[in-house]
């Protein structure tokens, strides 16, 4: 169970509509359960440097759904999330999306199946746009 391309397009369209309403061009990204990019939109006049941030935020928002066995940033296989040292990864936040602005996990039947990330506006507006986008899921 994950986020389909059709889901991602609907989520992004809702986020775009709200960003236009606010007059804030942003980048919107939707990732699937594995943190793989499903869709991304850079609205006209959105700052180029915020494109990667939107994807990073989406990946971070779905991090608690990561499988117990991960690949660490050195490219090698890491230990279980519960192992000492976490195989090169930081332990995920206990609450999905906790501490993130402009990113929300996407849930289906109570399980995290992906996430949406927004960047380019002031933090409270990124958050509002992410909420509007996630509501379309």
């Amino acid at each position: 169970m994950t986020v389909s391309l059709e889901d991602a397009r609907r989520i992004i369209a809702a986020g775009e509509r709200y960003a236009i309403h606010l007059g804030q061009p942003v980048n919107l990204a939707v990732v699937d359960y594995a943190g793989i990019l499903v869709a991304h939109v850079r609205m006209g006049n959105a700052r180029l440097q915020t494109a990667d941030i939107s994807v990073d935020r989406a990946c971070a928002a779905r991090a608690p759904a990561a499988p117990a066995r991960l690949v660490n940033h050195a490219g090698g296989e890491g230990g279980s999330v519960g192992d000492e040292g976490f195989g090169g990864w930081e332990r995920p936040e206990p609450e999905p999306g906790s501490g993130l602005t402009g990113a929300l996990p996407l849930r289906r039947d109570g399980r995290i199946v992906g996430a949406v990330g927004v960047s380019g506006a002031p933090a409270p507006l990124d958050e509002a746009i992410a909420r509007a986008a996630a509501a379309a899921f």
Side-chain angles (χ1 to χ4, degrees):
M1 194 177 338
T2 192
V3 178
S4 70
L5 179 58
E6 181 181 314
D7 292 331
R9 286 178 174 160
R10 188 175 60 254
I11 292 162
I12 286 175
E16 280 185 292
R17 282 191 301 274
Y18 196 62
I20 289 167
H21 170 75
L22 295 174
Q24 293 291 323
V26 295
N27 285 275
L28 297 110
V30 175
V31 298
D32 67 10
Y33 172 82
I36 305 298
L37 185 64
V38 177
H40 177 267
V41 166
R42 178 176 169 257
M43 294 175 66
N45 296 323
R47 295 181 311 188
L48 182 59
Q49 63 271 31
T50 64
D52 288 341
I53 296 169
S54 65
V55 176
D56 291 345
R57 285 179 177 177
C59 288
R62 52 80 33 217
R69 199 112 178 112
L70 300 170
V71 176
N72 68 23
H73 28 259
E77 189 167 281
S80 295
V81 171
D83 290 347
E84 191 66 25
F86 312 112
W89 287 82
E90 295 297 319
R91 186 177 196 89
E93 294 279 340
E95 290 295 317
S98 173
L100 293 175
T101 300
L104 292 168
L106 300 170
R107 298 176 188 271
R108 184 174 283 143
D109 299 325
R111 298 181 71 183
I112 296 174
V113 296
V116 59
V118 177
S119 184
L125 297 181
D126 280 348
E127 183 70 19
I129 294 165
R131 288 189 185 284
F137 185 63

